[in-house]
Amino acid sequence: MRTIKRVHRAEYRPIADLITYSPLPTRQLAQIDPFLFLNHHGYQTYPANNHGLPFGPHPHRGMETVTFIVEGDIMHKDSQGYQSVITAGGVQWMTAGRGLIHAEVSSDAFRQAGGPLEILQLWVNLPARFKMTEPTYTGLQRDAIPSVSPAEGVQIRLVSGNWAGQPGAFATLTDVFLATVDLKAGSTVTLPVEASRNILFYLIRGMLTVNGQAVAQRELVEFNRDGEILEVSATTDALLLFGHAEPFDEPVVANGPFVMNTEDEIRQAYMDYRMGKFGVWNE
């Protein structure tokens, strides 16, 4: 079995009136290559006539964002012309590549009616060879994401990669596996991971044990790269974000919304953005 290096508690970092916890990065953990950044927004209930999510137009380059809508909705719009509203259970995958401008806000319906909201956004790095690839976006609703049930009381919703030959919903530039795992109290599942791959293991809700270690809501488990088995047992009903990938082992230089390999590339990103090379934003 994989050995555990450390369990990290997500740090509380509210954004305006949006409850936000950040399990990655923290003061103890910079990244889990190629997983760079994870924000957990909510759980909270918005009143009617609210302002919704505060993420207006902003640029990105050199990485990908994967957004998991647990409760509520999110309205995406970008300078490439993509636009959608994804609701609870859906997932968005945006490849920023050479650069685009996007906004992630709440739909008009959510801002008018209010309701529960819980959303996670993950940043996945791109290797140097894909930093300047063409930007793309795909948003999928819950029923477009395949699932498997490898054990009683366990449902794995396959976002990318594959499980026992079943492909995930999104075709990706790099070999990254991402899934959410819904476990009923008392259920147990074995999650296989090759020893060479880094693991993303973040408990969104509930309590469980992994390889004998207790894990609580909003905790991220950092593993050593040794064994190939995770034995997961749910103490209560639980929802887990689970992923793994081969590390890129490349320099990471991040500044604001840009993730590149060198400081010169970061300076060029800011220059290109100011020169309008990320596309035109239309309200």
Side-chain angles (χ1 to χ4, degrees):
M1 292 195 294
R2 280 274 181 135
T3 58
I4 293 169
K5 187 174 183 179
R6 187 168 182 173
V7 176
H8 301 267
R9 186 75 178 161
E11 296 179 358
Y12 181 52
R13 299 174 187 164
I15 303 170
D17 64 348
L18 178 62
I19 293 171
T20 301
Y21 294 87
S22 296
L24 190 69
T26 64
R27 285 161 287 190
Q28 291 79 34
L29 183 63
Q31 63 169 310
I32 303 174
D33 183 11
F35 306 108
L36 301 175
F37 172 95
L38 180 61
N39 261 357
H40 182 179
H41 306 298
Y43 178 89
Q44 68 191 95
T45 301
Y46 274 76
N49 301 313
N50 63 80
H51 296 294
L53 294 168
F55 306 116
H58 58 281
H60 284 295
R61 172 178 280 182
M63 32 69 78
E64 302 183 283
T65 65
V66 188
T67 309
F68 303 82
I69 299 88
V70 181
E71 298 278 1
D73 71 23
I74 194 166
M75 183 167 67
H76 171 96
K77 181 181 178 181
D78 65 47
S79 57
Q80 296 291 302
Y82 297 106
Q83 189 167 352
S84 69
V85 175
I86 304 300
T87 57
V91 178
Q92 299 182 140
W93 195 298
M94 186 185 79
T95 300
R98 62 172 173 77
L100 83 171
I101 303 167
H102 80 144
E104 291 177 309
V105 296
S106 300
S107 69
D108 292 343
F110 184 87
R111 286 187 283 116
Q112 290 169 9
L117 182 139
E118 188 169 21
I119 290 172
L120 291 93
Q121 184 167 96
L122 172 69
W123 292 13
V124 181
N125 199 12
L126 285 170
R129 68 185 186 277
F130 290 138
K131 289 288 189 189
M132 299 297 283
T133 195
E134 190 70 15
T136 62
Y137 165 83
T138 303
L140 297 177
Q141 306 291 3
R142 180 184 180 92
D143 59 6
I145 299 172
S147 66
V148 295
S149 182
E152 186 176 353
V154 178
Q155 183 181 47
I156 301 176
R157 302 184 63 242
L158 301 172
V159 176
S160 66
N162 73 84
W163 177 279
Q166 169 66 57
F170 295 87
T172 57
L173 289 170
T174 61
D175 177 19
V176 55
F177 177 89
L178 282 173
T180 57
V181 185
D182 199 324
L183 303 103
K184 298 299 183 186
S187 63
T188 298
V189 65
T190 299
L191 303 176
V193 185
E194 292 177 15
S196 61
R197 295 170 74 87
N198 280 342
I199 295 174
L200 177 70
F201 190 104
Y202 176 69
L203 189 56
I204 303 168
R205 295 179 179 177
M207 296 183 66
L208 53 75
T209 61
V210 56
N211 293 357
Q213 170 71 53
V215 183
Q217 180 180 9
R218 302 195 193 101
E219 289 185 338
L220 180 145
V221 182
E222 181 186 7
F223 292 90
N224 295 305
R225 278 197 307 190
D226 43 22
E228 299 191 337
I229 294 293
L230 304 185
E231 291 288 354
V232 180
S233 298
T235 308
T236 67
D237 288 357
L239 180 62
L240 170 69
L241 175 60
F242 173 61
H244 52 79
E246 294 286 344
F248 299 153
D249 293 325
E250 294 182 351
V252 175
V253 181
N255 189 296
F258 307 133
V259 182
M260 304 301 290
N261 298 108
T262 68
E263 294 285 355
D264 284 345
E265 289 171 339
I266 292 291
R267 284 190 286 270
Q268 188 65 52
Y270 277 103
M271 185 180 301
D272 289 348
Y273 173 57
R274 289 192 294 268
M275 293 175 66
K277 294 184 179 181
F278 284 38
V280 176
W281 183 261
N282 296 310
E283 292 294 343

